Amino acid sequence: MSKYIVKRLIMLIPVLIGVTFLVYFILSMSPGDTATMIAGEGAEAETIEAIRKEYGLDQPVIAQYGKYMWNLLRGDMGRSYLTKRDVFTTIAGAFPNTAKLAFWSILVAVAIALPIGIISATRQYSMVDNVGMVAALLGVATPNFWLGLMLIILFSLKLGWLPSGGMNGWQSYIMPAITLGTGDAALITRMTRSSMLEVVRQDYIRTARAKGVPEKAVIRKHALKNALIPVVTVIGLQFGGLLGGATLTETIFAWPGVGRLLVDSIKSKDTPMVLGGVIMLTITFSVINLLVDILYAFIDPRIKAQYR
Amino acid sequence: MAEQKKDLVLDIKDLVIHYETDDGVVEAVNGIDIQLEHGKTLGLVGETGSGKTTTALSILRLVPDPPGVIKSGSIKLDGKDVLNLPVAELEAIRGNLVSMIFQDPMTSLNPVLTVGEQIAEVIALHENISEKEAQTKAGDMLEVVGIPRERYGEYPHQFSGGMKQRVVIAMALACNPKLLLADEPTTALDVTIQAQVLETMKKLREQYGSAMIMITHDLGIIAEVCDEVSVVYAGQIVEHGTLEDIFESTMHPYTEGLFGSLPNIEERKARLQPITGLMPDPTNLPKGCCFAPRCKYCTENCAKSRPDKKWVSDTHYVRCSRYEEPGFQIERRGQ
């Protein structure tokens, strides 16, 4: 098992090289001159040239990338073009905010999705199932930013119950977590339902019933553990996505997280900041994926046997 | 008329089960009667889709619903009216008074629970003992079916097909059931393993004194383990009798057809004689005898009404209208 984990972590290196390379080149090809952006509007031509030299932007892109990677290898992620602050410190400052929001969002999602998914499957075509599935459809179809705005209009502007943005106390978590959680909940609900429906038709469920296992225990003990495998994957992927920063939701709720930081950096062509954010995103996403795979082994002994 | 059997473990009367789907009503079981004494083994023989498994599932009241509907009939299991029992009592019976061995051992064990846990579960459910004692007893059961108890903590995927079926058998016998339903327990296994598993089942059944219903399409297995045989065709028992009645004094043309399609070991050049045609569409059964369209003895009368039971001895009945005619005999009898 530990050998497997080390192997997976080593595989992260080529992924990181690939991702940074792609992002670097895409940014360099995007319109707008970086040096002009840094210098600010109305700057003199000489100032711009000086900046270009200072940041090494006059060199070929491949050389710039090489230099960046060399610095990265020594643990230096560079400084923001814009704020001049150290990239690592900035991201390390924003990440906990994103992580907290991601945690509460996924908690909201799972708390809604699992019970509804299970009930929907065990009482297929019942009232609960039909209502649940329509709600899930609505949840998937509703764009996050729209839901976020609607919540702000209702609870902040009209009722004045909750703060419309920022991160001050537990009240400010409620709306962003609901906004992010409901969308994910919809997907997890459908996944749980279909996975559960598949499992309850299996022969071993019939065996369990034939043994006299009460129906509730059949679902809880025999069906759920089998049905959870694909559901755990989806939850993991969603959580990984959330940890990478929910750009739209964070922007709407003025959440001081990685997502908003990344959007602002892309807008201002702040290459070191964007790269730093992307590297962080890649690592968290890969690590979450690895954790999900490890979790599989605890759910399904057949998978555990393969991790050698 | 047949004598009334006493001391029945299972008494099924006129059982009718339909699967009501959007595409039509599948008439799976059409008036099956089964009377089984304690400790006896009944073979249900017939081809795929003849309603054997549905009948067995109905004894546990596990016919998938929807679409399965038990239209009429009664099932008395050791005196208990299965079809009208509250769910809690039903769950107390399943795995305890009656248990079932399923056809495919590959899929009938839960892949995420250890085999030991799965055996211990049924014991803990039905016997008033501690978790620890249930585990010990589950280990004993593993040894009974010839699996070392050290393998208690292993998962089904670590077992071969034959061993999995032994685990299923251990599970089925763990609570010493009065009736064991074996639904083609060896069909999914290869021939050498089949013999081993059958041997295990036979030995244990005798040891535990359970009655058994053996569902199969293999007449060899029937000859090996059964006391009585019911030949099922299109959801009806077309012939029933003791093993001797069925094998030595075959009456029904369908039963004769089953024997005719077996290879003859004495006359190796003899060609197999398959029953021509296919089972009738169960959503659209013929009005008369269901076997009539495939029967070489069929007359005009046969298509008119379903034949009633005709008792030819105390133990043997047949559903075939040709026996109304004096002197009628099938070819097998003439030989």
Side-chain angles (χ1 to χ4, degrees):
Chain A
M1 189 69 152
S2 55
K3 212 170 144 193
Y4 173 80
I5 296 171
V6 172
K7 212 163 77 188
R8 284 282 299 265
L9 287 176
I10 291 173
M11 263 152 57
L12 191 56
I13 296 170
V15 172
L16 275 176
I17 294 176
V19 167
T20 47
F21 186 81
L22 274 176
V23 172
Y24 211 102
F25 277 81
I26 290 169
L27 275 177
S28 75
M29 280 186 292
S30 67
D33 179 55
T34 317
T36 319
M37 287 258 208
I38 299 169
E41 255 175 75
E44 309 252 330
E46 291 113 66
T47 329
I48 297 175
E49 276 318 302
I51 286 174
R52 199 186 301 280
K53 268 233 162 61
E54 188 195 331
Y55 288 97
L57 294 169
D58 51 345
Q59 285 162 16
V61 182
I62 188 84
Q64 290 180 39
Y65 174 72
K67 196 174 156 222
Y68 177 82
M69 288 308 279
W70 175 242
N71 286 334
L72 187 64
L73 209 61
R74 296 183 305 176
D76 179 11
M77 292 176 101
R79 285 179 175 278
S80 160
Y81 289 163
L82 208 66
T83 60
K84 313 284 186 270
R85 286 182 57 206
D86 183 55
V87 168
F88 182 78
T89 347
T90 315
I91 289 174
F95 182 69
N97 299 339
T98 294
K100 278 182 222 161
L101 180 57
F103 174 77
W104 288 109
S105 305
I106 207 77
L107 207 68
V108 167
V110 171
I112 298 174
L114 282 189
I116 295 182
I118 293 167
I119 295 170
S120 284
T122 48
R123 300 187 202 148
Q124 203 185 358
Y125 306 128
S126 68
M127 193 64 184
V128 181
D129 183 26
N130 289 334
V131 171
M133 284 308 107
V134 170
L137 203 65
L138 278 177
V140 173
T142 310
N144 274 347
F145 68 88
W146 181 83
L147 181 63
L149 290 174
M150 290 303 124
L151 287 175
I152 290 177
I153 291 172
L154 182 61
F155 291 104
S156 303
L157 296 182
K158 297 260 191 242
L159 297 169
W161 290 354
L162 297 166
S164 67
M167 194 182 151
N168 309 300
W170 59 270
Q171 296 96 330
S172 47
Y173 281 92
I174 297 175
M175 287 199 294
I178 288 176
T179 305
L180 286 171
T182 45
D184 289 352
L187 196 68
I188 300 171
T189 308
R190 291 201 70 98
M191 198 70 208
T192 310
R193 177 179 182 266
S194 64
S195 174
M196 203 64 187
L197 278 177
E198 165 117 18
V199 167
V200 294
R201 292 201 183 100
Q202 297 295 318
D203 285 354
Y204 53 80
I205 297 300
R206 191 178 58 182
T207 309
R209 292 196 178 119
K211 286 201 295 194
V213 180
E215 191 57 30
K216 270 190 185 141
V218 169
I219 298 301
R220 191 164 26 79
K221 192 172 168 191
H222 289 265
L224 197 55
K225 214 175 164 194
N226 283 288
L228 272 184
I229 294 165
V231 178
V232 165
T233 317
V234 172
I235 294 176
L237 285 176
Q238 307 265 41
F239 190 55
L242 287 174
L243 277 180
T247 46
L248 282 174
T249 310
E250 285 188 5
T251 309
I252 289 171
F253 289 101
W255 195 263
V258 183
R260 206 175 57 147
L261 182 70
L262 209 57
V263 173
D264 290 347
S265 311
I266 293 170
K267 275 195 277 189
S268 52
K269 284 201 87 170
D270 192 347
T271 315
M273 204 55 153
V274 175
L275 280 169
V278 167
I279 289 172
M280 194 264 347
L281 207 147
T282 313
I283 293 176
T284 33
F285 205 79
S286 306
V287 169
I288 292 289
N289 257 318
L290 177 60
L291 287 178
V292 167
D293 284 352
I294 293 170
L295 202 57
Y296 279 170
F298 285 99
I299 301 177
D300 193 336
R302 286 167 298 181
I303 295 173
K304 198 172 187 173
Q306 290 165 17
Y307 289 171
R308 290 194 199 269
Chain B
M1 236 337 116
E3 62 177 302
Q4 276 300 309
K5 290 180 186 170
K6 295 156 245 150
D7 198 21
L8 294 177
V9 65
L10 181 67
D11 188 4
I12 298 182
K13 284 210 177 87
D14 198 30
L15 185 66
V16 178
I17 303 173
H18 290 176
Y19 289 106
E20 294 176 348
T21 68
D22 293 340
D23 302 326
V25 176
V26 177
E27 298 175 32
V29 175
N30 305 303
I32 275 185
D33 302 303
I34 292 175
Q35 272 85 39
L36 186 61
E37 285 173 57
H38 280 280
K40 291 276 172 139
T41 299
L42 169 73
L44 278 186
V45 63
E47 49 200 293
T48 308
S50 58
K52 305 177 304 256
T53 303
T54 304
T55 307
L57 285 175
S58 71
I59 299 169
L60 292 161
R61 217 165 95 196
L62 273 180
V63 177
D65 168 27
V69 187
I70 298 176
K71 301 295 279 187
S72 65
S74 71
I75 300 174
K76 289 242 161 57
L77 184 68
D78 206 30
K80 294 192 172 68
D81 183 3
V82 172
L83 296 183
N84 295 310
L85 226 48
V87 174
E89 277 182 54
L90 202 62
E91 283 166 351
I93 285 179
R94 291 176 185 160
N96 189 17
L97 190 61
V98 53
S99 58
M100 187 151 175
I101 298 169
F102 292 98
Q103 181 170 356
D104 189 354
M106 305 301 163
T107 56
S108 52
L109 289 172
N110 192 330
V112 302
L113 300 174
T114 68
V115 294
E117 280 170 351
Q118 297 188 52
I119 302 173
E121 184 184 28
V122 68
I123 300 170
L125 272 172
H126 299 298
E127 287 176 22
N128 206 0
I129 57 177
S130 72
E131 194 96 334
K132 192 96 195 148
E133 288 168 305
Q135 286 172 6
T136 316
K137 203 174 166 209
D140 297 342
M141 283 313 294
L142 276 177
E143 288 192 330
V144 165
V145 294
I147 297 172
R149 67 164 64 228
E150 289 74 47
R151 302 196 68 176
Y152 182 96
E154 289 185 23
Y155 290 92
H157 73 271
Q158 291 164 292
F159 285 71
S160 68
M163 290 186 95
K164 275 186 217 170
Q165 196 62 307
R166 285 163 188 275
V167 172
V168 175
I169 292 169
M171 222 154 72
L173 288 173
C175 292
N176 203 354
K178 288 192 176 163
L179 176 64
L180 187 60
L181 306 168
D183 184 7
E184 309 204 22
T186 57
T187 307
L189 306 173
D190 64 64
V191 187
T192 46
I193 306 299
Q194 276 187 14
Q196 285 179 22
V197 168
L198 271 183
E199 202 46 52
T200 312
M201 282 182 66
K202 212 174 147 184
K203 198 183 82 199
L204 293 177
R205 200 194 60 74
E206 276 159 20
Q207 190 179 326
Y208 285 74
S210 309
M212 175 159 80
I213 293 184
M214 170 63 89
I215 296 171
T216 181
H217 50 246
D218 187 336
L219 287 166
I221 293 176
I222 295 281
E224 189 91 2
V225 298
C226 296
D227 303 310
E228 292 171 46
V229 187
S230 290
V231 181
V232 186
Y233 188 79
Q236 260 199 334
I237 295 177
V238 291
E239 183 170 6
H240 170 88
T242 62
L243 190 63
E244 215 167 50
D245 290 336
I246 301 295
F247 277 68
E248 302 301 329
S249 44
T250 313
M251 302 281 287
H252 199 278
Y254 177 63
T255 318
E256 180 188 42
L258 288 179
F259 282 113
S261 51
L262 287 179
N264 187 340
I265 206 158
E266 276 138 33
E267 205 181 329
R268 309 206 75 149
K269 279 195 180 141
R271 294 192 72 109
L272 296 184
Q273 295 167 347
I275 306 170
T276 52
L278 291 171
M279 278 256 293
D281 176 4
T283 60
N284 185 21
L285 290 179
K287 213 169 92 228
C289 171
C290 291
F291 189 61
R294 301 169 74 181
C295 182
K296 56 184 173 185
Y297 307 104
C298 172
T299 62
E300 267 175 41
N301 258 343
C302 293
K304 281 184 186 147
S305 66
R306 296 249 169 106
D308 285 329
K309 281 184 198 172
K310 183 178 172 63
W311 288 91
V312 290
S313 75
D314 281 350
T315 52
H316 194 177
Y317 72 74
V318 62
R319 280 179 198 270
C320 177
S321 5
R322 289 298 305 270
Y323 285 99
E324 305 299 328
E325 304 163 22
F328 173 73
Q329 248 188 359
I330 54 172
E331 284 166 15
R332 191 178 153 87
R333 288 297 292 282
Q335 280 168 5

